Amino acid sequence: MKKFFKIIGILLLLCIVVVLGYFIYVYATYYRVEDHQQLSISQFATTKTLKTDTQYRISSANIGFGAYSDDYSFFMDGGKYSRARSKEEVKTNVQGEIATIQSLKPDFAMFQEVDIDGTRSYHVNEYQMLEVGLKDDTSVFAQNYDSPYLLYPLNSPHGKNKAGMATFSDVQSTMATRRSLPIETGFSKFMDLDRCYIKQVFEVDNGKRFIVYNIHLSAYTTKGDTATKQLKMLFTDMDQEAQKGAYVIAGGDFNKDLLKDSYAIFKQGDKNVGDWAKPIDTSLMPRSLELVAPFDKTNPVPSCRNADRPYSKDDFVLTVDGFIVSKNVQVKEAKVVDAKFKHSDHNPVYLDFSLNQ
């Protein structure tokens, strides 16, 4: 009997050592990507110049690291899977997103949750796939995070993942910078990971600058002020540029209910499962900026589904993808593409606009 308890004690000690070793590894390997990082911009031959009073289109698509076919569910939302189901599905879903964006023919195309080397996406370089699919555009990529190997869930760990954001355009950019957003400092930072936005500058023929912000704000936070800090930082940056006379547009995944009460509009699913997406606080927004939530009253389409189960008409849906623009940007139309969540848990969105003289 003593020998039995001794063996049990040794096994428990080994388990404790392994667990402690893993937590030490996670904390030791965690790092935040450099702030104010100047990004490399791919070069291509173009004579196109941005002009005032000319209509342009900007799109945004969260590609969900290539995992979210319409029958996929994600463990962080209460679903089944922690990674894509196969390498082939990753490629199929990314190609589907590329085809959708190509059909929109945007002048500027923003993407979020783009894996370049991830366990969850079978190490498919999705940015390279976007470069091939949008080969006639210039592009810039910003690494969002490089996570330690996450053992959760134990039956199929999320793993080690390097991901980011990318912006493509048919106009050459003069500068692009990665800005680190405020994040939580507790253990939850390992679940929500790093956050940033791309700030990219384009020249206009009237001598002014057009600045595009590609953003992806936090979702799984435990502190209520994290999202507020992120919005304040973004708004301050945009306002400073707008006060200098620049045209500014921020677009992407806000992880906030841009319609303030999407459930009242779409009346679909259980409202309680979507409590992670609070209404965006427009009171934080300076007077130089305005929110443009893509919406068509004649055909209301949500931009995001809660991925706690395969998509159906009973799933909770809302609009978290959209745009913020300065007052010198003339908004023509903003809509959600009805892609039926076939290749991502987000439907792409687009904005048609022009730059005032």
Side-chain angles (χ1 to χ4, degrees):
M1 185 63 71
K2 288 182 179 180
K3 186 177 181 180
F4 172 77
F5 283 114
K6 184 177 180 180
I7 292 173
I8 295 297
I10 291 173
L11 291 175
L12 286 173
L13 181 61
L14 285 174
C15 288
I16 292 171
V17 169
V18 170
V19 171
L20 286 176
Y22 174 70
F23 277 100
I24 291 172
Y25 153 75
V26 169
Y27 275 94
T29 56
Y30 176 85
Y31 71 97
R32 292 209 69 186
V33 182
E34 176 188 356
D35 192 14
H36 291 285
Q37 183 183 37
Q38 296 303 304
L39 303 173
S40 175
I41 306 168
S42 66
Q43 303 294 317
F44 76 123
T46 179
T47 58
K48 182 175 179 178
T49 302
L50 290 176
K51 301 178 180 179
T52 58
D53 298 327
T54 301
Q55 183 164 308
Y56 298 103
R57 172 169 290 181
I58 186 169
S59 66
S60 178
N62 182 326
I63 68 173
F65 63 91
Y68 291 83
S69 51
D70 55 2
D71 57 351
Y72 182 87
S73 62
F74 188 52
F75 78 109
M76 289 289 285
D77 286 341
K80 182 177 179 180
Y81 302 101
S82 61
R83 58 179 73 175
R85 289 180 296 198
S86 71
K87 190 172 188 175
E88 290 70 28
E89 281 205 20
V90 171
K91 292 182 177 180
T92 296
N93 288 328
V94 175
Q95 290 288 6
E97 288 293 288
I98 291 172
T100 300
I101 297 303
Q102 285 175 328
S103 69
L104 294 176
K105 298 180 180 179
D107 301 282
F108 307 89
M110 299 180 290
F111 299 90
Q112 303 86 39
E113 285 197 39
V114 181
D115 277 14
I116 56 175
D117 186 16
T119 306
R120 64 185 185 179
S121 50
Y122 298 88
H123 306 285
V124 174
N125 190 323
E126 296 167 0
Y127 177 52
Q128 285 185 354
M129 291 185 66
L130 293 173
E131 286 185 303
V132 173
L134 302 170
K135 59 183 175 59
D136 294 328
D137 287 352
T138 182
S139 66
V140 61
F141 177 85
Q143 182 180 315
N144 212 21
Y145 58 81
D146 181 4
S147 73
Y149 193 98
L150 298 180
L151 282 173
Y152 185 80
L154 293 176
N155 64 324
S156 179
H158 197 54
K160 181 175 176 60
N161 302 286
K162 185 181 290 187
M165 309 155 68
T167 302
F168 288 74
S169 65
D170 59 6
V171 185
Q172 188 63 53
S173 171
T174 58
M175 183 180 70
T177 308
R178 180 197 185 278
R179 292 302 319 274
S180 296
L181 285 163
I183 61 169
E184 297 191 351
T185 56
F187 186 78
S188 61
K189 70 183 180 183
F190 298 108
M191 303 304 291
D192 197 38
L193 305 174
D194 209 343
R195 295 289 171 175
C196 72
Y197 61 80
I198 299 174
K199 179 180 180 179
Q200 193 166 1
V201 180
F202 301 85
E203 300 298 330
V204 186
D205 67 350
N206 64 357
K208 294 184 179 181
R209 298 186 304 162
F210 174 50
I211 304 178
V212 174
Y213 296 78
N214 184 349
I215 67 168
H216 189 187
L217 304 186
S218 292
Y220 306 106
T221 58
T222 58
K223 297 180 180 178
D225 64 344
T226 300
T228 299
K229 290 177 180 178
Q230 291 180 349
L231 286 173
K232 283 183 176 180
M233 177 179 169
L234 174 67
F235 292 161
T236 297
D237 191 337
M238 295 180 69
D239 181 55
Q240 288 175 347
E241 296 294 352
Q243 296 295 343
K244 297 175 185 176
Y247 308 96
V248 297
I249 294 180
D253 180 359
F254 288 83
N255 272 316
K256 295 286 173 288
D257 189 344
L258 302 187
L259 300 178
K260 300 297 183 74
D261 190 357
S262 288
Y263 182 78
I265 295 171
F266 301 112
K267 296 181 174 61
Q268 184 173 322
D270 180 2
K271 182 179 182 180
N272 295 323
V273 304
D275 61 358
W276 53 269
K278 305 296 184 185
I280 188 169
D281 188 355
T282 51
S283 69
L284 301 172
M285 197 175 298
R287 293 183 178 179
S288 62
L289 307 175
E290 63 180 336
L291 172 68
V292 181
F295 184 68
D296 183 353
K297 290 183 178 179
T298 61
N299 181 34
V301 178
S303 80
C304 182
R305 71 177 178 93
N306 194 72
D308 58 332
R309 54 188 170 181
Y311 178 64
S312 72
K313 293 298 183 182
D314 296 324
D315 204 5
F316 177 74
V317 294
L318 69 169
T319 291
V320 299
D321 306 86
F323 306 92
I324 295 172
V325 305
S326 54
K327 296 294 179 65
N328 53 2
V329 173
Q330 182 68 43
V331 174
K332 304 293 185 179
E333 179 180 71
K335 287 187 177 181
V336 180
V337 179
D338 192 2
K340 304 185 187 307
F341 303 113
K342 189 171 181 59
H343 299 294
S344 175
D345 59 330
H346 290 252
N347 283 324
V349 298
Y350 71 85
L351 168 69
D352 291 338
F353 67 96
S354 62
L355 308 175
N356 296 337
Q357 287 188 345

